[in-house]
Amino acid sequence: MTATPGVKNGPTGRPAREFDAPAPLDQHGPARIIALCNQKGGVGKTTTTISLGASLAEYGRRVLAIDFDPQGALSAGLGVESHDTTTIYDLLLGREKDTRAAIQRTSVPGFDVIPANIDLSAAEVHLINEVAREQILARVLRPVLDDYDVVLIDCQPSLGLLTVNALTAAHGVLIPLECEYFALRGVALLVETIDKVRDRLNPAITLDGIIATMYDPRTLHSREVLERVVEAFGDRVFETVIGRTVKFPDASVAGTPITTYAPDHPAAKAYRQLARELVARGAVA
């Protein structure tokens, strides 16, 4: 990454800049669906879904998060009930016909969630013989899109049928990428999967960008991985970079987004910056 003379550069090597707070919306909906996807686990998908969703809600956007991982980490991280309640699994299998029956409010005004639990792990087996099985999530979400400005889908760490459902339903994809070599290796495979979905199932899907997470500027490894990502993907890498901090697991234990748990922490400010950048890029209204 080449430094720009006389200009302070950010971690991606581009001139550091602040994005303006987005203007309020005159009306809401229809929502743009964004899948947060990476087949490698532990790269920050759930943390990003929670923190980005909360940040967008702070800016007046109506946000719906879909917990699409049988581990149910998104539900736990938002402090919502995921057992003995209607979940995304019930909607996928048609046990519940009304999508709104599964929606729960979170502690953040304007930020709702459809929870998941371990039952979702059986969904792929049950859906395998369904007609148009890749499009079931899209049909589930269709009735509520006019109620929201953005829908964020927290995908499981795999490229199986559930993730293909998310990609088929989505307008865009965000790839959280841990600044670590093994995380970098799988991005090409994921981009190839997105291309296949675009070719066969969802011609409108776009790669909204790659979000560098767990970045530690003190280590040469983090800096080199980020440099390689920018070299490979250029402007598709967000300028906002999310640093590594113990505040994220602390916020998860508390069942609240970091923007509420530690609103003045640099990590909370980074996710607000990411929300502003997402709006500035046109990925969110």
Side-chain angles (χ1 to χ4, degrees), residues 45-74:
K45 290 187 296 294
T46 300
T47 296
T48 297
T49 305
I50 292 171
S51 306
L52 177 59
S55 298
L56 288 168
E58 283 186 7
Y59 290 121
R61 275 60 187 167
R62 290 181 182 169
V63 183
L64 175 64
I66 311 298
D67 193 343
F68 220 45
D69 186 344
Q71 297 178 64
L74 178 74

Side-chain angles (χ1 to χ4, degrees), residues 50-121:
I50 292 171
S51 306
L52 177 59
S55 298
L56 288 168
E58 283 186 7
Y59 290 121
R61 275 60 187 167
R62 290 181 182 169
V63 183
L64 175 64
I66 311 298
D67 193 343
F68 220 45
D69 186 344
Q71 297 178 64
L74 178 74
S75 305
L78 286 169
V80 301
E81 180 59 51
S82 61
H83 295 279
D84 300 321
T85 190
T86 304
T87 67
I88 190 67
Y89 177 70
D90 299 307
L91 297 175
L92 292 175
L93 267 63
R95 294 177 176 178
E96 173 58 62
K97 304 295 186 184
D98 182 6
T99 303
R100 291 179 178 84
I103 295 174
Q104 296 188 37
R105 304 285 182 259
T106 72
S107 60
V108 179
F111 188 19
D112 299 339
V113 63
I114 295 180
N117 56 38
I118 194 64
D119 292 345
L120 187 60
S121 60

Side-chain angles (χ1 to χ4, degrees), residues 12 14 173-175 208-212 226 230 234-241 274 277-278 281 283:
T12 64
R14 289 166 285 189
V173 183
L174 294 181
I175 303 177
D208 287 341
I210 297 172
I211 305 160
L226 183 54
V230 174
D235 289 341
R236 289 193 287 184
V237 181
F238 282 83
E239 294 181 35
T240 306
V241 172
L274 178 61
E277 184 174 358
L278 205 63
R281 283 173 174 247

Side-chain angles (χ1 to χ4, degrees), residues 209-268:
I210 297 172
I211 305 160
T213 63
M214 303 183 192
Y215 177 70
D216 187 346
R218 300 169 299 176
T219 68
L220 177 62
H221 185 71
S222 264
R223 298 197 302 271
E224 286 182 339
V225 169
L226 183 54
E227 183 174 348
R228 289 185 62 180
V229 173
V230 174
E231 286 175 356
F233 294 99
D235 289 341
R236 289 193 287 184
V237 181
F238 282 83
E239 294 181 35
T240 306
V241 172
I242 309 300
R244 187 183 294 274
T245 173
V246 297
K247 286 294 183 183
F248 287 129
D250 290 346
S252 296
V253 170
T256 186
I258 195 168
T259 50
T260 303
Y261 181 80
D264 296 323
H265 191 276

Side-chain angles (χ1 to χ4, degrees), residues 92 124 126-139 161-162 164-165 168 201:
L92 292 175
E124 293 196 9
H126 288 294
L127 297 179
I128 196 68
N129 293 319
E130 289 289 326
V131 175
R133 58 184 177 269
E134 300 91 354
Q135 300 170 3
I136 294 174
L137 179 62
R139 294 201 302 272
L161 181 56
L162 288 180
V164 171
N165 255 270
T168 304
L201 294 166

